[in-house]
Amino acid sequence: MSPSAVPPVEPDRAAAPAGDDPRPYTLVAELTYRCPLRCAYCSNPVRLSQLGPELGTEDWARTFREAEALGVVQVNLTGGEPLLRDDLAELCAAARGCDLYTNLITSGLPLSRGRLRALAEAGLDAVQLSVQDTDPATAARIAGLDALEPKTLVAEWTRELGLPLTINVVLHRENLARLDALIAMAERLGADRLELAHVQLLGWALLNRDHLLPSAAMMSEARRAIAEAQDRLRGRLEILSVLPDYFVDRPRACMDGWGRRYLVVAPDGRVLPCHAAHTLPGLDFESVRDRSVADIWFGSSAFNRFRGEGWMPEPCRGCAERGVDFGGCRCQAFHLTGDAAATDPTCSLAPRHDLVVAARAAAAAEVAVAPTPAGDRGLVQLGTRHRLKLRRPPTTGA
């Protein structure tokens, strides 16, 4: 099979709802790819030049209505940076009009106390704020600019308004040594929830893998620190963490399985089963400009491509856990092996698991456990690759 194409298969489901058809419960509304930050692990497309114009207010309002009718109960307003949409309050009101629980996923830039109040009055239910690091220099290195102080203000305003606050930290080699400090920051800011999101090595993060992938020793120490914090803060701060894909024996159920529970709508209107699905060749992702959300969800050949088990190769097809992990991440499979239908290489049973093993070995050569100043976890970087220049997304804050 050519690595540059995804072979067609017969859909497992008809293009009409049935009792056992998967139904989405979360709409990920990527309102824009514009962003003032230039994070080294950015989930924006690596190539932005061929994308169409952003959906307008009415297009998004109709998308919310159609998604709710399909079964969606919550919407994540994200990007890029959703605050760069001038109509964000209108979009919050439109989501509230559909009785959708509305979560703003944001870097906090640019935002004022008055605008956040207006968003809450329009219908915003919760805020998820990204924090890159507690160390200003490292935070600026990862995000492309110094934004730590403004983020602290956004957290304070969120609590003042009584909105639930989630702090999201993408964990990677450059900030794992300050895991204790990051947890302490979430406590100090009064967060209700802390998401320790180990970096997903796709897109810009894959391009920067040599900088970002931690070692097994770092992950072992991080697991211990997280478990201690979860026990200590139980009932006060909910801490969520999932091991990064490169350090598991079996893959995660990416997005709870392809086209099962999550619905992603890109800024230009394409409907996707996950953020990176547009990078897979041979799949035609349709737009809400041309077809209803329900028609795309049930009838799209792209959504049906990796549903069910008919597409699975061995060892997935005969694996007892195929209904748990659903074959792992299709995007990861493609970007590591060139074949979107391959077994996710993060699985220890995968024919190309050696790719992940080699990446882990390379990371181990770059870091070691050693005594460090108080407040760090005892993890230091060695080697030379981490001194290379980070590859960043272009400035898109206009």
Side-chain angles (χ1 to χ4, degrees):
M1 179 176 60
S2 168
S4 64
V6 174
V9 297
E10 289 299 318
D12 290 329
R13 294 168 174 81
D20 60 348
D21 275 311
R23 293 276 184 163
Y25 63 76
T26 297
L27 168 63
V28 180
E30 294 186 305
L31 302 181
T32 182
Y33 286 138
R34 292 174 288 153
C35 185
L37 304 185
R38 302 176 63 209
C39 297
Y41 48 75
C42 182
S43 62
N44 273 356
V46 173
R47 296 179 178 85
L48 290 171
S49 60
Q50 297 181 343
L51 302 178
E54 294 177 1
L55 292 177
T57 309
E58 289 305 315
D59 286 328
W60 276 116
R62 174 176 51 80
T63 298
F64 295 162
R65 293 193 297 270
E66 292 178 357
E68 190 278 334
L70 189 57
V72 165
V73 297
Q74 61 181 347
V75 58
N76 294 334
L77 303 178
T78 182
E81 177 47 66
L83 290 171
L84 294 179
R85 291 280 302 219
D86 293 336
D87 60 351
L88 187 56
E90 295 172 73
L91 296 178
C92 289
R96 170 60 62 86
C98 297
D99 202 27
L100 295 174
Y101 187 87
T102 305
N103 186 29
L104 177 65
I105 300 179
T106 179
S107 69
L109 302 172
L111 188 60
S112 65
R113 179 190 278 108
R115 190 182 185 199
L116 183 58
R117 181 179 295 277
L119 294 175
E121 292 173 351
L124 182 65
D125 291 299
V127 173
Q128 176 178 305
L129 179 67
S130 66
V131 174
Q132 281 71 34
D133 206 321
T134 58
D135 174 64
T138 306
R141 169 174 161 76
I142 292 298
L145 59 84
D146 184 0
L148 190 55
E149 185 175 350
K151 289 173 181 289
T152 301
L153 289 174
V154 171
E156 293 174 359
W157 300 336
T158 301
R159 301 307 294 145
E160 287 174 6
L161 290 170
L163 292 172
L165 172 64
T166 295
I167 298 295
N168 176 273
V169 182
V170 176
L171 294 177
H172 47 80
R173 184 193 303 170
E174 297 209 7
N175 64 8
L176 267 177
R178 284 173 296 283
L179 185 52
D180 285 341
L182 287 162
I183 294 170
M185 172 184 276
E187 289 184 79
R188 186 171 63 254
L189 294 177
D192 301 282
R193 186 178 188 182
L194 173 62
E195 292 187 0
L196 298 171
H198 294 276
V199 65
Q200 181 78 2
L201 293 166
L202 293 169
W204 289 99
L206 183 58
L207 292 178
N208 288 308
R209 187 174 69 180
D210 285 349
H211 299 271
L212 301 175
L213 184 64
S215 68
M218 295 184 80
M219 283 310 309
S220 177
E221 180 66 12
R223 291 178 70 181
R224 184 179 70 81
I226 293 168
E228 289 176 359
Q230 288 173 327
D231 288 341
R232 178 173 61 85
L233 296 170
R234 186 168 287 110
R236 288 189 286 152
L237 174 63
E238 181 184 11
I239 301 178
L240 301 180
S241 176
V242 177
L243 280 174
D245 288 357
Y246 281 45
F247 294 92
V248 294
D249 291 330
R250 297 292 182 272
R252 294 182 300 114
C254 185
M255 301 294 283
D256 201 19
W258 180 278
R260 294 186 71 252
R261 295 291 179 260
Y262 284 85
L263 185 69
V264 179
V265 178
D268 61 2
R270 288 173 300 165
V271 184
L272 310 166
C274 71
H275 299 79
H278 59 82
T279 64
L280 300 183
L283 296 179
D284 180 22
F285 292 105
E286 299 175 84
S287 172
V288 295
R289 300 180 195 271
D290 307 315
R291 201 175 179 192
S292 74
V293 171
D295 282 348
I296 295 172
W297 177 264
F298 289 112
S300 164
S301 60
F303 267 83
N304 282 304
R305 174 62 183 92
F306 295 114
R307 278 178 174 154
E309 301 175 3
W311 64 270
M312 291 183 178
E314 293 291 355
C316 295
R317 186 181 294 269
C319 180
E321 296 185 30
R322 64 185 181 278
V324 177
D325 58 41
F326 305 103
C329 178
R330 296 302 88 220
C331 300
Q332 191 155 251
F334 172 73
H335 287 286
L336 291 182
T337 73
D339 181 1
T343 300
D344 187 335
T346 61
C347 180
S348 62
L349 302 176
R352 294 311 317 272
H353 185 59
D354 63 294
L355 297 170
V356 171
V357 172
R360 289 200 303 249
E366 292 292 312
V367 296
V369 178
T372 58
D376 287 352
R377 295 299 304 187
L379 304 167
V380 296
Q381 296 196 61
L382 304 173
T384 58
R385 281 188 311 214
H386 64 277
R387 301 190 187 101
L388 300 175
K389 186 176 181 180
L390 288 167
R391 301 180 68 177
R392 298 186 183 280
T395 300
T396 54

